[in-house]
Amino acid sequence: MDRDTRNAAIAAGIILVGFGIVAFYMPTLMLAAGEASPIIGGILAVAFVLAFFGVFWLRGRSKRNGNGEE
């Protein structure tokens, strides 16, 4: 495993663990936000899912632009 591959694997692992912790507490967060407004609870859930995919999309885009590929 070369340095770039190892760094990518470590970054992906950290991101997955971070999102896993947030996902574990997501029902509690949604219920707390839902007390103020059910719409806010729904927006929180949608934002979590979009953020999960968005982080990997941005990372892939960054790596592609950093390597000089199009």
Side-chain angles (χ1 to χ4, degrees):
M1 181 181 291
D2 66 345
R3 182 168 110 27
D4 290 335
T5 305
R6 186 180 66 241
N7 288 343
I10 291 170
I14 290 170
I15 291 167
L16 286 174
V17 168
F19 274 101
I21 291 169
V22 174
F24 180 78
Y25 290 108
M26 183 55 69
T28 305
L29 294 171
M30 285 182 59
L31 289 173
E35 290 289 324
S37 168
I39 294 172
I40 295 173
I43 290 171
L44 183 66
V46 169
F48 173 76
V49 171
L50 289 176
F52 182 77
F53 290 108
V55 165
F56 286 105
W57 176 73
L58 287 172
R59 177 156 171 77
R61 189 175 158 118
S62 169
K63 294 300 285 182
R64 184 177 56 229
N65 290 339
N67 292 338
E69 298 175 10
E70 293 185 22

